Amino acid sequence: MIDLANNFITGFDQHPQFLPWVCLEFFDMSYNKLQGRLPMSPQTIVAYDVSNNYLNGEIPPWICELKFLQFLDLSSNQMTGTLPSCFGNLYNSLSVLDLKQYSFHGPMMNTCTQGSPLKKIDLSKNQFSGQVSKIPKDFKLLSFNFNNLKSFEQSCLS
């Protein structure tokens, strides 16, 4: 576990591209001053929080390979682009997803996957478009405000 939240850390001196701890499960660097691209995490990561920093670029495809990831908070950075096409693969493990306050765009992703543990999702303050898909009734938090959504399926709350 590494918790260095609420400091003034701007980056890593020796390994700016990846996190060198191969057995790391919990990584919290929220509320710092991290800059540059999202640091690549080890496959063992369960919780990854780099919210409220100055990270930029797109969400890299390697994020979809994190099979144990349950908590992902990348909110309030300066990232842009579309979500990787493989992003739906994370729904088999994720319970919390927070990507609020970005400039992400593209079609709204499908939030309803049979047997998914996903219970909290915040995609507010982005530029997603299209239609909100079916939403399981056991969701705890669902926020899509301030996007470019066009419709909400009648059968969303099943």
Side-chain angles (χ1 to χ4, degrees):
M1 173 182 192
I2 294 179
D3 184 351
L4 293 170
N6 296 293
N7 283 288
F8 297 98
I9 299 169
T10 58
F12 303 98
D13 289 336
Q14 296 178 353
H15 301 285
Q17 300 291 322
F18 65 94
L19 302 177
W21 308 281
V22 295
C23 295
L24 184 64
E25 292 184 2
F26 299 93
F27 182 71
D28 187 352
M29 292 281 287
S30 59
Y31 294 94
N32 273 286
K33 303 210 180 282
L34 291 178
Q35 300 174 29
R37 305 264 185 222
L38 196 62
M40 182 182 264
S41 74
Q43 294 289 316
T44 54
I45 203 81
V46 173
Y48 188 85
D49 186 349
V50 291
S51 61
N52 296 282
N53 279 287
Y54 299 99
L55 296 170
N56 58 33
E58 295 186 1
I59 294 180
W62 60 257
I63 202 111
C64 302
E65 298 169 13
L66 303 175
K67 294 175 178 49
F68 303 106
L69 189 62
Q70 296 175 18
F71 179 93
L72 179 62
D73 190 345
L74 307 177
S75 64
S76 301
N77 276 286
Q78 298 170 352
M79 297 175 78
T80 61
T82 58
L83 299 180
S85 59
C86 60
F87 208 73
N89 298 347
L90 291 175
Y91 293 168
N92 294 326
S93 62
L94 271 183
S95 58
V96 175
L97 173 64
D98 193 340
L99 300 177
K100 74 176 165 279
Q101 207 163 343
Y102 275 110
S103 293
F104 289 131
H105 61 277
M108 178 57 69
M109 59 185 171
N110 184 3
T111 55
C112 185
T113 303
Q114 187 70 18
S116 171
L118 193 58
K119 300 293 181 239
K120 296 181 181 182
I121 186 169
D122 191 344
L123 302 177
S124 59
K125 298 183 181 178
N126 279 288
Q127 298 170 22
F128 290 113
S129 60
Q131 173 175 311
V132 176
S133 63
K134 292 181 181 178
I135 301 164
K137 61 183 172 185
D138 58 346
F139 251 64
K140 305 284 186 229
L141 170 77
L142 183 67
S143 181
F144 296 140
N145 60 359
F146 295 102
N147 277 284
N148 295 317
L149 300 175
K150 302 290 183 218
S151 64
F152 191 78
E153 273 187 33
Q154 292 290 338
S155 60
C156 278
L157 303 175
S158 55

